[in-house]
Amino acid sequence: MSKNLSRKIVILPDEDEFQANPDESVLDAALRAGIQLPYGCRSGTCGACKAVLVEGEIHYGSTEPEALTEDDLINNRILCCQARAGTDLVLRIKTVQETREIPIKTLPSRVMHMKQLSHDVMGLWLKLPSSERLQFLAGQYIDILMKDGRERSFSLANAPHDDEYLQLQIRYYDGGVFSELVFKEMKEKTLLRIKGPFGNFFLREESDRPSLFIAGGTGFAPVKSIIEHMIAKQDKRPVSLYWGVRAKRDLYQDELARSWAEEHDNIKYVPVLSEPMEGDEWQGKTGFVHEAVLEDFSDFSDFDVYASGPPVMVQAVHEALTTRGLPEERLYSDAFEFAAKKEEK
Ligand code: FES
């Protein structure tokens, strides 16, 4: 699609602006631009994405979506998940500013794909029913509702615009009820009930300060979601990602993280090993991940810091960086949620 065909879309009352191609829905274009319009099913049936068309023309592929009532049509309401922009548009719709504005849903899902990402991390790709999508902010998590009534919480590893499948990264723990199930019994096509989204670990969109991400182990998952979201919305603020694991075999998406840094001048990636194994031939940084960060930066007063991993790592990050100028309110962490994540993450 040639660029000059793209349409400018303005959202009132906030006057957020983004570009949409004529062949994509207004909602898809907004999500790609990092603008959170409300939505539910993304298939034209729930009505959660209604907006008032103030100016411009839209069209809906072949069929008029069923969620529009006569009253909607009289009042110029459109469905953003189905509407394509025929011209530049001005729409009126309240964007999602806070997590509490996102509905928490309980949904069935099917494990469509499983892939062992490392010796002790399994990737799961979950599919919701075709009439459902889960709105969430990059970095949030969901609960898996187990048959015995217990819950297990996992961060979503995919970005919100890339939501055909919900991606989870499950680390194996000896005796961990869910991880034992995943590694020893689960097969593709298994049904799981999920609930979410939850959590306050998400990108602060309004900031243009450099962002420092410090991940430990599978704390990489929500960071992946956030960085892929930033790349999709062409967010150019400087990003540094420090990923701490024990040995090289634990860097289960090392190539992906390297590709972010190679393809984007504003992204830097530093893997850190605490216990390199014989044969790793590791030339990079070693030790605890927060110590590697301290070696590279002397003052954190200008940063937003996102720390995700075991509580002990997040605690160490908190202590070390706040004594070097990081204001507490600019340390966003997954630690409490991590601790509350009942068993494994
Ligand atoms: S009608 Fe459900 S999200 Fe658009």
Side-chain angles (χ1 to χ4, degrees):
M1 188 58 55
S2 83
K3 279 220 166 97
N4 58 9
L5 278 179
S6 84
R7 318 293 193 199
K8 182 170 95 169
I9 301 188
V10 178
I11 303 289
L12 301 178
D14 298 336
E15 306 205 353
D16 287 326
E17 266 185 44
F18 58 96
Q19 299 288 322
N21 294 322
D23 60 352
E24 68 182 340
S25 73
V26 170
L27 177 62
D28 284 348
L31 290 176
R32 199 164 42 76
I35 292 171
Q36 291 291 329
L37 301 186
Y39 66 86
C41 65
R42 285 180 85 174
S43 61
T45 51
C46 74
C49 63
K50 282 179 193 172
V52 175
L53 178 61
V54 180
E55 266 177 50
E57 286 173 21
I58 57 107
H59 60 91
Y60 293 111
S62 49
T63 48
E64 194 85 346
E66 47 186 278
L68 284 177
T69 62
E70 215 159 295
D71 186 58
D72 290 329
L73 296 174
I74 292 167
N75 288 293
N76 270 344
R77 288 187 207 112
I78 65 164
L79 290 185
C80 293
C81 73
Q82 300 300 304
R84 271 74 178 148
T87 62
D88 290 350
L89 302 178
V90 179
L91 304 176
R92 182 174 294 280
I93 183 170
K94 203 173 168 315
T95 55
V96 175
Q97 306 286 356
E98 298 180 43
T99 49
R100 66 185 157 84
E101 294 173 342
I102 297 179
I104 292 171
K105 294 183 178 178
T106 302
L107 295 167
S109 69
R110 193 176 286 281
V111 179
M112 294 306 285
H113 182 51
M114 301 175 67
K115 182 177 177 195
Q116 189 133 7
L117 301 173
S118 76
H119 66 111
D120 67 352
V121 177
M122 183 76 82
L124 298 186
W125 281 255
L126 309 184
K127 181 104 178 125
L128 300 178
S130 57
S131 59
E132 291 286 357
R133 289 291 166 111
L134 184 76
Q135 179 161 26
F136 65 97
L137 300 182
Q140 288 193 291
Y141 70 89
I142 58 169
D143 280 347
I144 306 271
L145 310 180
M146 308 223 349
K147 290 207 178 94
D148 64 4
R150 286 185 284 178
E151 297 162 2
R152 295 290 178 267
S153 305
F154 297 96
S155 296
L156 292 164
N158 55 303
H161 69 277
D162 171 26
D163 71 345
E164 191 182 351
Y165 300 100
L166 300 175
Q167 296 175 27
L168 306 179
Q169 299 181 341
I170 317 285
R171 169 133 186 248
Y172 179 76
Y173 284 91
D174 222 359
V177 180
F178 188 69
S179 65
E180 294 265 3
L181 176 77
V182 168
F183 277 79
K184 296 186 176 160
E185 289 173 39
M186 188 175 278
K187 303 246 177 332
E188 289 177 353
K189 306 255 186 317
T190 297
L191 280 174
L192 294 174
R193 272 163 65 75
I194 65 161
K195 186 173 179 187
F198 300 109
N200 289 312
F201 186 74
F202 55 85
L203 180 70
R204 273 36 188 193
E205 305 272 353
E206 67 293 348
S207 168
D208 55 7
R209 283 181 285 272
S211 298
L212 173 57
F213 293 91
I214 306 173
T218 47
F220 178 77
V223 170
K224 171 181 177 291
S225 171
I226 294 176
I227 292 181
E228 289 184 338
H229 169 67
M230 295 176 93
I231 290 172
K233 67 184 272 231
Q234 299 182 12
D235 192 318
K236 295 291 181 219
R237 72 185 102 166
V239 167
S240 302
L241 163 60
Y242 286 70
W243 185 10
V245 297
R246 283 209 179 102
K248 206 165 158 185
R249 63 180 187 160
D250 301 313
L251 292 169
Y252 56 86
Q253 289 192 314
D254 185 51
E255 267 181 39
L256 174 70
R258 283 183 196 279
S259 73
W260 295 333
E262 274 158 25
E263 290 161 22
H264 303 279
D265 292 342
N266 60 317
I267 301 181
K268 178 176 121 179
Y269 165 54
V270 183
V272 185
L273 304 189
S274 61
E275 296 167 31
M277 294 165 69
E278 264 184 47
D280 276 356
E281 293 177 8
W282 185 247
Q283 308 287 329
K285 285 195 178 277
T286 52
F288 289 125
V289 64
H290 71 281
E291 291 168 351
V293 172
L294 291 176
E295 272 169 29
D296 289 355
F297 301 91
S298 53
D299 181 354
F300 297 92
S301 51
D302 266 346
F303 283 84
D304 291 330
V305 176
Y306 297 83
S308 167
V312 58
M313 180 209 90
V314 174
Q315 192 61 36
V317 167
H318 180 275
E319 276 171 31
L321 274 58
T322 50
T323 52
R324 288 218 198 152
L326 177 69
E328 298 230 356
E329 65 277 14
R330 281 205 254 112
L331 172 61
Y332 308 107
S333 79
D334 215 7
F336 298 121
E337 286 153 19
F338 201 101
K341 284 180 184 178
K342 299 133 205 158
E343 175 193 46
E344 54 220 318
K345 176 173 152 180

